[in-house]
């Protein structure tokens, strides 16, 4: 019996509410199951982080769904770090789960798209890398996943190109195009579904283009993927 099957019994205390993201043009919320993130998925970012963009299979980490922060909400500067970085990313929202999903069928599983920020305690991530430890403390901390409303694919299709950008206090820091993704959305879904059983409600942060850098309290972040969505947050 899995934990899920057993959950019909009374809870000892009220469970925390399920994290959810608004759906553009709807008053319904998208209930979030897991957040998967792809590492180094744009060549120019892989190079800026000191890696060879041509040699690696995709790799993943997760953020806890309760790290989500909605668009226009503040991003509280996290504890224990002096080097918190912005990473603007295209986010894929799955409306249908599955395992071993073939690349050709992968887009059938997509409900829609959003734009998100994979906020990163770079100093703690760097220390973890050096010591061969997990990345959690660098990646999965409070408010580390600001995310826009999800725009249904029924409205915008499955965009394969479009500028991805991030401005800090009105100055452009990151720019690229989602057609530069090393591993494309269908390939990411297919590969990921061989490692995990995907579920409706999963979000996938697909990686960031070059130009990542530190944020400070008071900074205003404004990013987007043209044709999909924009996101704004203020570091407090
Ligand atoms: Mn990232």
């Amino acid at each position: 019996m899995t934990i899920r099957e057993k959950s019909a019994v009374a809870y000892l205390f009220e469970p925390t509410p399920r994290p959810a993201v608004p759906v553009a043009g709807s008053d319904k919320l998208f209930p979030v199951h897991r957040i998967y993130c792809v590492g180094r998925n744009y060549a120019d970012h892989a190079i800026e982080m000191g890696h060879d963009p041509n040699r690696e299979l995709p790799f993943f980490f997760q953020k806890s769904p309760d790290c989500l922060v909605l668009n226009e909400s503040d991003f509280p500067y996290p504890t224990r770090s002096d080097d918190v970085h912005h990473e603007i990313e295209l986010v894929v929202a799955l409306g249908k789960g599955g395992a071993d999903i073939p690349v050709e069928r992968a887009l059938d599983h997509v409900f829609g798209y959003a734009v998100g920020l994979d906020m990163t305690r770079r100093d703690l991530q760097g220390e973890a890398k050096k010591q061969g430890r997990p990345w959690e403390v660098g990646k999965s901390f409070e408010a580390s996943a600001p995310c826009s409303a999800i725009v249904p694919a029924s409205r915008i299709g499955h965009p394969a190109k479009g500028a991805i950008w991030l401005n800090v206090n009105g100055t452009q820091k990151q720019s690229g195009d989602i057609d530069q993704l090393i591993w494309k959305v269908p390939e990411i879904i297919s590969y990921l579904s061989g490692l995990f059983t995907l579920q409706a409600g999963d979000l996938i942060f697909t990686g960031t283009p070059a130009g990542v850098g530190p944020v400070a309290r008071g900074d205003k972040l404004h990013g987007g993927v043209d044709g999909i969505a924009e996101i704004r947050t203020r570091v407090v």
Side-chain angles (χ1 to χ4, degrees), residues 54-118:
N54 301 311
R55 276 197 327 195
E56 291 184 321
L57 282 171
F59 70 95
F60 304 94
F61 57 91
Q62 289 188 37
K63 289 192 186 233
S64 173
D66 63 7
C67 298
L68 282 165
V69 178
L70 300 188
N71 193 14
E72 312 271 359
S73 299
D74 289 343
F75 170 75
Y77 200 95
T79 59
R80 306 291 172 95
S81 178
D82 299 312
D83 193 26
V84 176
H85 279 203
H86 52 74
E87 296 190 358
I88 188 78
E89 310 203 355
L90 170 70
V91 178
V92 180
L94 298 188
K96 203 166 81 173
D100 294 321
I101 300 166
V103 173
E104 316 80 64
R105 304 297 309 276
L107 291 180
D108 299 345
H109 295 253
V110 175
F111 168 77
Y113 298 89
V115 57
L117 285 161
D118 167 18

Side-chain angles (χ1 to χ4, degrees), residues 37-40 45 61 87 89 118 120 139 205 207-208:
C37 304
V38 188
R40 294 176 214 133
H45 174 62
F61 57 91
E87 296 190 358
E89 310 203 355
D118 167 18
T120 302
K139 289 290 195 179
F205 281 58
T208 198

Side-chain angles (χ1 to χ4, degrees), residues 3-196:
I3 287 174
R4 254 186 218 101
E5 288 161 341
K6 216 182 165 198
S7 64
V9 299
Y11 289 115
L12 185 58
F13 50 85
E14 196 58 36
T16 53
R18 173 176 279 266
V21 180
V23 175
S26 161
D27 52 9
K28 294 211 173 107
L29 295 175
F30 180 91
V32 178
H33 175 245
R34 290 181 186 161
I35 303 176
Y36 297 99
C37 304
V38 188
R40 294 176 214 133
N41 203 20
Y42 289 79
D44 51 357
H45 174 62
I47 292 164
E48 80 178 345
M49 298 302 285
H51 297 271
D52 180 343
N54 301 311
R55 276 197 327 195
E56 291 184 321
L57 282 171
F59 70 95
F60 304 94
F61 57 91
Q62 289 188 37
K63 289 192 186 233
S64 173
D66 63 7
C67 298
L68 282 165
V69 178
L70 300 188
N71 193 14
E72 312 271 359
S73 299
D74 289 343
F75 170 75
Y77 200 95
T79 59
R80 306 291 172 95
S81 178
D82 299 312
D83 193 26
V84 176
H85 279 203
H86 52 74
E87 296 190 358
I88 188 78
E89 310 203 355
L90 170 70
V91 178
V92 180
L94 298 188
K96 203 166 81 173
D100 294 321
I101 300 166
V103 173
E104 316 80 64
R105 304 297 309 276
L107 291 180
D108 299 345
H109 295 253
V110 175
F111 168 77
Y113 298 89
V115 57
L117 285 161
D118 167 18
M119 299 303 291
T120 302
R121 292 196 277 213
R122 192 73 73 205
D123 43 3
L124 300 191
Q125 184 201 22
E127 194 58 33
K129 281 183 188 172
K130 220 183 300 170
Q131 304 205 29
R133 290 177 179 167
W135 286 9
E136 258 82 0
V137 294
K139 289 290 195 179
S140 189
F141 54 89
E142 270 56 55
S144 63
C147 188
S148 77
I150 295 164
V151 185
S154 60
R155 209 165 107 190
I156 55 166
H158 298 280
K161 58 184 296 184
I164 179 168
W165 49 273
L166 180 83
N167 296 343
V168 179
N169 303 324
T171 302
Q172 187 164 85
K173 298 290 186 181
Q174 290 192 260
S175 74
D177 194 292
I178 57 171
D179 70 2
Q180 297 161 347
L181 283 168
I182 296 171
W183 297 93
K184 309 297 182 195
V185 170
E187 294 168 328
I188 293 168
I189 293 170
S190 177
Y191 192 88
L192 196 55
S193 75
L195 293 166
F196 304 97

